[in-house]
Amino acid sequence: MSITSSFIDATLCCSLKVIRVLHEELNLFEEKGIGFGGDRSLNIDLIAEKIFIKKLSEFGNILSEEAGFIDNGKEKKIVIDPIDGSYNVSNHIPYFGCSIYFEDTASVVVNLSNGDYFIRDENTKIFDNLFRKPFKSNFRHDVILFEKAYKNPDIVAKLAKHNLKFRAPGALSLSLCYGESAKAVIYKGEIREFDIAAAKFYNQECFWHFEDDLIVMSPKKEDLKEVISIIKE
């Protein structure tokens, strides 16, 4: 088995362990201070991070949202967001996941609430589910996923003016992956490597626009241009 395949298998194994923790452990949502990434850390964040670090350290150095950089003496870096959407999981909102990027090699993003997973390596791109056949359809591609919409009422008003529907799910890496089936994804706020590295690698063929505090991604170039022009009005 190649190193890439071993990494992907190890990451999916870790994801299953985290799902089990979510169903079996107590006191998961106790606050444990501020993590390296600047957000509050919940107990579930630290437990999940420990699971990933233990299993993935053999593949590379670790950069994790909670612990920061861990030098394992390797050539490549693994970027980990152990729980993307901590606020959702702590409020029983079923949209949260984990996001893992193996530098220039592979990415794995898992929706821990329903088992959907997104994998990309040098040769393949896969959308599947840990437990069942994933839901697939002839998607309409007419809704925008808008992360941090609650902090950007000006953009909300502009989208409404143009009758563009949006949803604000609350887990950026998941939205950037599911965004391959949306009209576009908008994020306006602090941009951190933990939140976007895996999804950017997964959807590298999509069209991306970056500014200091803005990301717009779309499967179609014309939709990207349309959404950016609306934001800039």
Side-chain angles (χ1 to χ4, degrees):
M1 182 180 292
S2 69
I3 292 177
T4 301
S5 296
S6 297
F7 166 80
I8 291 171
D9 286 351
T11 303
L12 292 178
C13 180
C14 289
S15 301
L16 288 167
K17 288 182 179 180
V18 174
I19 291 171
R20 183 172 181 176
V21 166
L22 286 164
H23 284 84
E24 295 182 355
E25 297 291 333
L26 301 176
N27 304 316
L28 293 177
F29 308 127
E30 290 182 0
E31 293 193 17
K32 297 292 185 179
I34 303 298
F36 176 81
D39 288 343
R40 61 170 185 159
S41 295
L42 302 180
N43 196 27
I44 181 57
D45 295 309
L46 302 181
I47 292 173
E49 180 182 65
K50 185 177 180 181
I51 290 171
F52 282 109
I53 290 175
K54 182 178 180 180
K55 193 76 172 178
L56 301 182
S57 288
E58 66 178 281
F59 298 100
N61 303 319
I62 302 291
L63 179 62
S64 179
E65 182 180 9
E66 309 305 328
F69 184 73
I70 300 172
D71 189 349
N72 294 317
K74 306 293 185 178
E75 293 184 0
K76 291 190 175 183
K77 177 175 63 177
I78 298 171
V79 182
I80 299 175
D81 186 352
I83 299 290
D84 174 36
S86 298
Y87 196 78
N88 281 355
V89 66
S90 65
N91 283 278
H92 202 234
I93 298 170
Y95 194 80
F96 52 89
C98 59
S99 174
I100 316 295
Y101 170 62
F102 189 9
E103 186 178 5
D104 298 326
T105 303
S107 67
V108 180
V109 178
V110 181
N111 186 333
L112 298 170
S113 68
N114 69 3
D116 282 353
Y117 65 80
F118 307 83
I119 291 174
R120 184 154 201 160
D121 61 20
E122 302 97 324
N123 303 310
T124 59
K125 183 181 183 185
I126 299 170
F127 168 60
D128 209 330
N129 190 282
L130 292 170
F131 310 114
R132 58 187 176 273
K133 184 178 179 180
F135 173 75
K136 293 183 179 179
S137 180
N138 294 319
F139 296 108
R140 293 176 57 179
H141 299 278
D142 61 358
V143 71
I144 293 171
L145 301 176
F146 187 2
E147 293 291 349
K148 288 284 196 290
Y150 66 95
K151 286 193 173 182
N152 296 281
D154 56 328
I155 298 177
V156 169
K158 292 173 182 177
L159 295 176
K161 177 183 175 183
H162 289 268
N163 296 313
L164 291 177
K165 293 184 178 181
F166 73 89
R167 300 293 183 266
L172 180 55
S173 66
L174 286 180
S175 292
L176 287 171
C177 288
Y178 283 119
E180 65 182 341
S181 301
K183 181 181 179 70
V185 180
I186 300 172
Y187 171 78
K188 187 169 176 59
E190 181 185 2
I191 298 174
R192 307 179 306 172
E193 188 175 12
F194 320 103
D195 300 319
I196 68 169
K200 185 181 177 185
F201 188 82
Y202 173 77
N203 267 333
Q204 58 190 259
E205 73 279 2
C206 289
F207 298 92
W208 295 76
H209 173 83
F210 287 93
E211 296 181 19
D212 288 342
D213 63 348
L214 176 67
I215 300 172
V216 184
M217 187 213 79
S218 176
K220 298 180 180 180
K221 191 173 184 178
E222 59 269 28
D223 286 340
L224 181 79
K225 290 182 176 179
E226 177 191 1
V227 172
I228 292 172
S229 68
I230 291 170
I231 293 172
K232 298 297 183 181
E233 287 180 352

